[in-house]
Amino acid sequence: MKSTPTHIPVLLEETIKALAVQPGGRYIDGTLGGGGHAAAILEHSSPGGQLLGIDADVEAIKAARARLEAYSGSILLVNENFVDLQTICLKYDFSPVHGILLDLGLSSLQLNGNNRGFSFQHDAPLDMRLSPRQEVTAAQIINDYSERELARLIRTLGEESYGRRIAHRIVQERPIKTTLHLAKTIERAIGRRGGRIHPATKTFQALRIAVNHELENLEATLKQAVKLLGFEGRLVVISYHSLEDRIVKKFMHQEAKGCICPPGTPTCICDHTPSLRLVNKKVITPSAAEVQLNPRSHSAKLRAAERIINQEEHAEATENLFSLLERQDGNWKKPVQLNKLRMTFAIPSLSQCLERVKEGEVLRI
Ligand SMILES: C[S@@+](CC[C@H](N)C(=O)[O-])C[C@H]1O[C@@H](n2cnc3c(N)ncnc32)[C@H](O)[C@@H]1O
């Protein structure tokens, strides 16, 4: 009998530490996959933790739902693309949060699955979409793009120096409908080259990134994530190739800076204020032991940053709060808003929050 492939979560301990998971905390796992990281987040945030899990792949949602059954009262699983993060959080009233995790790329379930077209280890239609709701498949790109467009895509998104040669061969060989046909065509174009990786690896990466708009979606999502974090909330991103890591690094470093005017600008014109503090100055990578145990972790890079709130944002949040928290007959109205305040200012319990509001102390955070 064939066993179901399982996904081993990458940098698990490091992720929980970087997220600073705390009991009663509220977290978003934007890349739920097999639910490995999510299970650990729920375990460490218990009692009282809550998790919003998102995945564009409905199969991942099913697998994670089964794995997280013990936490069914604390989870909300949504089959959507994380590029819609703010809309999703608004719909389910799930913000501010203590932490957001993005563990990018694909899970072993997708790579080992036989029919998704992500891998050249199995023959399958060239699809590569995370969700059937997306319009463009890898087959459409391979068969409809001009030779020039293909060469550019393979070179830029696959970081493949033989992009032109591969594109030329693909165009001669078209139509190409399956993964093995494409892999063989690439091998004929550039040979085995004696390297450790298969000659089709980089082209497959380029296609997957293009089909799923991975880089654009990541950029757009990072911006939204910052707005959803409460004070001292953590953003943790694990990436698996340099194009993704470059985006994450640039974003976090930029958000951690004050002025972002171009070098040489005589006086600041950007008015930029930092919204993040870097948790680790250096990127976190897996140990040799982890790579040996789980070879898929070898290219992983983890970056983490913490939300900081500037004076203006603090004043606005406090003002909103006080307008919501009117006293009525000696009781505080609207416990939901009080809870939001607790999250915004990372106050551990509702009663402590109430105390601090009564004493006006929240204003001084
Ligand atoms: C590396 S796996 C995550 C594995 C997970 N952390 C675990 O421990 O099981 C990445 C997952 O993110 C999902 N994914 C990738 N890009 C996405 C996007 N833009 N929106 C939603 N899900 C996405 C993939 O479908 C895949 O299931």
Side-chain angles (χ1 to χ4, degrees):
M1 207 175 77
K2 247 178 110 186
S3 63
T4 318
T6 49
H7 178 89
I8 306 173
V10 171
L11 291 166
L12 186 58
E13 254 179 60
E14 293 84 348
T15 302
I16 298 301
K17 190 165 169 229
L19 278 171
V21 178
Q22 52 177 291
R26 223 162 36 148
Y27 299 89
I28 298 174
D29 183 346
T31 49
L32 192 61
H37 284 107
I41 292 171
L42 283 157
E43 189 191 319
H44 286 80
S45 62
S46 145
Q50 293 169 31
L51 180 114
L52 168 64
I54 301 170
D55 205 295
D57 183 350
V58 74
E59 295 304 321
I61 296 285
K62 282 187 205 157
R65 195 178 298 287
R67 180 162 186 175
L68 303 176
E69 208 186 343
Y71 297 100
S72 58
S74 313
I75 56 174
L76 178 62
L77 306 187
V78 185
N79 178 213
E80 292 288 353
N81 197 299
F82 61 56
V83 76
D84 295 319
L85 194 59
Q86 268 187 307
T87 313
I88 298 167
C89 287
L90 198 65
K91 179 168 171 190
Y92 295 103
D93 193 18
F94 206 88
S95 76
V97 295
H98 291 95
I100 300 178
L101 170 66
L102 294 177
D103 174 24
L104 302 168
L106 297 178
S107 71
S108 306
L109 283 78
Q110 291 158 325
L111 286 165
N112 298 343
N114 295 341
N115 55 359
R116 307 293 297 273
F118 288 118
S119 159
F120 44 80
Q121 309 293 342
H122 318 278
D123 202 15
L126 269 177
D127 189 322
M128 297 198 191
R129 290 171 301 169
L130 289 176
S131 158
R133 284 178 279 179
Q134 292 165 226
E135 280 172 15
V136 179
T137 65
Q140 280 166 290
I141 293 180
I142 284 291
N143 292 296
D144 298 348
Y145 273 32
S146 70
E147 185 174 326
R148 227 177 132 155
E149 285 171 323
L150 269 181
R152 196 164 154 265
L153 183 144
I154 297 168
R155 209 179 48 243
T156 54
L157 299 184
E159 300 184 286
E160 168 63 87
S161 36
Y162 299 103
R164 273 165 75 174
R165 211 185 289 183
I166 294 172
H168 185 66
R169 190 78 198 213
I170 288 174
V171 170
Q172 286 182 326
E173 187 74 24
R174 296 197 291 209
I176 299 174
K177 298 277 172 65
T178 65
T179 51
L180 286 193
H181 188 181
L182 178 61
K184 287 209 179 90
T185 305
I186 297 167
E187 201 176 330
R188 269 185 233 123
I190 60 171
R192 276 260 163 191
R193 312 224 145 252
R196 267 196 322 121
I197 67 162
H198 189 283
T201 307
K202 292 179 175 181
T203 304
F204 269 65
Q205 171 186 304
L207 280 171
R208 200 196 77 203
I209 294 176
V211 166
N212 296 298
H213 305 287
E214 290 183 17
L215 305 182
E216 303 89 307
N217 286 356
L218 175 60
E219 259 180 348
T221 306
L222 292 173
K223 287 185 196 143
Q224 299 174 46
V226 171
K227 296 189 188 137
L228 298 165
L229 288 172
F231 179 58
E232 291 178 354
R234 297 279 180 99
L235 172 62
V236 176
V237 187
I238 308 175
S239 59
Y240 294 87
H241 57 76
S242 54
L243 297 173
E244 282 171 347
D245 184 55
R246 223 172 284 156
I247 292 174
V248 179
K249 181 177 175 188
K250 187 171 164 217
F251 176 80
M252 287 187 176
H253 281 251
Q254 181 135 323
E255 284 307 309
K257 272 199 214 160
C259 171
I260 52 166
C261 290
T265 313
T267 47
C268 174
I269 47 165
C270 70
D271 273 343
H272 186 261
T273 51
S275 60
L276 293 176
R277 174 187 78 76
L278 300 181
V279 173
N280 305 92
K281 293 269 177 310
K282 271 181 70 183
V283 68
I284 296 175
T285 54
S287 65
E290 175 167 1
V291 176
Q292 197 176 22
L293 196 76
N294 180 14
R296 268 202 191 125
S297 68
H298 82 277
S299 57
K301 288 193 168 142
L302 182 151
R303 294 188 188 271
E306 185 176 85
R307 180 80 162 103
I308 52 178
I309 289 185
N310 63 39
Q311 274 180 351
E312 231 170 81
E313 285 174 301
H314 182 270
E316 195 186 326
T318 315
E319 194 177 310
N320 284 346
L321 170 81
F322 280 102
S323 66
L324 291 165
L325 284 174
E326 296 149 46
R327 253 178 188 279
Q328 199 183 45
D329 304 331
N331 291 317
W332 293 94
K333 276 203 309 184
K334 304 196 178 163
V336 175
Q337 270 79 22
L338 188 60
N339 199 28
K340 272 188 182 272
L341 175 79
R342 178 178 80 80
M343 309 288 302
T344 306
F345 295 105
I347 301 169
S349 75
L350 267 184
S351 55
Q352 280 177 31
C353 183
L354 197 52
E355 280 313 305
R356 291 171 73 169
V357 172
K358 280 182 194 164
E359 290 161 14
E361 199 200 314
V362 162
L363 286 165
R364 292 200 298 277
I365 287 178

